[in-house]
Amino acid sequence: MRDYYAQRAKTYDSIYAKPERQEDLEELSERISEVLAGHTVLEIACGTGYWTERFAEDAQSVLATDINQIMLDMASAKQIAPGKVRFAIADAFDLPKGDYSACFGGFWWSHVKKEEQADFLKKLQSRVGKDCVLVLIDNNYVEGSSLPVARTDSEGNTYQQRLQEDGTRVDIVKNFPTDSFMRKKFAAFARDIRIHRNDHFWMLTCVLR
């Protein structure tokens, strides 16, 4: 996964250019900015800073993390909300501790295997503490717009086959959870769980226990 996204860094933002997704992306951006306004935000897997750029101005401050330095270099070059945003290398399963009031993850949850999700949430709790707002966004599966599911493993994780920049193909975990699945998964770790969906994307907000 790490190597795949490192290769895709220079062309990654093209996924947001699909015409049929523009209205939904605009709505999502507005909702995220509203929820994160005034917060001290820890961002998971910020990538090229596409989503950082959309909520940072309204946040109190942002520590945007990613496992790939090339992604952070591209995000830093955008000079997003100078004085408010810092970037740091971090694994999503080993995030830096801090005094955060909110945590955001864009298009990352779908890449976490089902059997690893509880472990991630437990580790996140230990880094951000009680009563931290968590915001996650990701894709709905939309026939004709999403890549087809190539296979499903024994744990129920679904995979898409993707073409890398060097021409090789790789299977990438890409799960499309239902609302009921997410509510059950988050119930032990969070309260006030709310899920919003438009045609192409979903957004989950909750407060960590």
Side-chain angles (χ1 to χ4, degrees):
M1 186 74 71
R2 177 179 181 174
D3 292 343
Y4 168 74
Y5 277 104
Q7 282 201 32
R8 285 201 58 201
K10 292 182 179 179
T11 59
Y12 180 75
D13 283 359
S14 64
I15 65 171
Y16 299 117
K18 292 190 175 185
E20 71 273 16
R21 298 182 179 183
Q22 298 313 300
E23 185 175 339
D24 287 359
L25 284 169
E26 184 177 349
E27 180 199 354
L28 204 57
S29 296
E30 291 174 358
R31 285 178 175 272
I32 293 164
S33 293
E34 182 178 347
V35 174
L36 297 179
H39 279 286
T40 301
V41 183
L42 172 64
E43 184 177 6
I44 306 164
C46 70
T48 62
Y50 178 93
W51 289 102
T52 319
E53 194 169 22
R54 276 143 186 83
F55 67 78
E57 287 291 349
D58 292 322
Q60 178 68 31
S61 64
V62 182
L63 175 61
T65 67
D66 200 275
I67 200 168
N68 278 309
Q69 185 62 51
I70 187 171
M71 288 288 197
L72 294 178
D73 290 344
M74 293 181 67
S76 297
K78 294 179 178 179
Q79 298 184 330
I80 302 166
K84 283 191 174 185
V85 179
R86 295 181 295 121
F87 295 96
I89 284 279
D91 188 314
F93 281 82
D94 188 19
L95 293 163
K97 287 187 177 181
D99 187 17
Y100 312 109
S101 61
C103 184
F104 172 78
F107 298 85
W108 179 80
W109 180 255
S110 58
H111 296 311
V112 182
K113 291 183 177 181
K114 292 180 178 182
E115 63 269 28
E116 297 175 351
Q117 291 171 352
D119 182 46
F120 164 74
L121 290 171
K122 185 182 296 185
K123 288 180 178 177
L124 180 63
Q125 281 181 318
S126 72
R127 295 300 192 268
V128 301
K130 186 179 178 181
D131 297 328
C132 183
V133 174
L134 174 61
V135 180
L136 297 173
I137 60 172
D138 222 305
N139 299 93
N140 297 327
Y141 182 81
V142 180
E143 194 73 38
S145 182
S146 305
L147 288 174
V149 171
R151 65 181 179 91
T152 304
D153 68 17
S154 60
E155 298 292 337
N157 298 294
T158 52
Y159 294 74
Q160 293 175 329
Q161 190 173 85
R162 299 189 180 180
L163 184 66
Q164 297 193 103
E165 294 297 313
D166 62 6
T168 59
R169 293 187 180 275
V170 60
D171 283 355
I172 296 294
V173 175
K174 185 68 175 179
N175 287 315
F176 299 95
T178 63
D179 288 7
S180 60
F181 178 89
M182 287 192 285
R183 289 186 184 281
K184 289 177 183 177
K185 182 66 68 172
F186 281 82
F189 302 94
R191 56 182 172 82
D192 300 336
I193 301 167
R194 301 180 183 184
I195 301 170
H196 168 76
R197 290 183 188 263
N198 54 29
D199 288 341
H200 291 89
F201 309 106
W202 58 259
M203 174 178 172
L204 180 147
T205 62
C206 62
V207 179
L208 295 175
R209 296 184 187 279

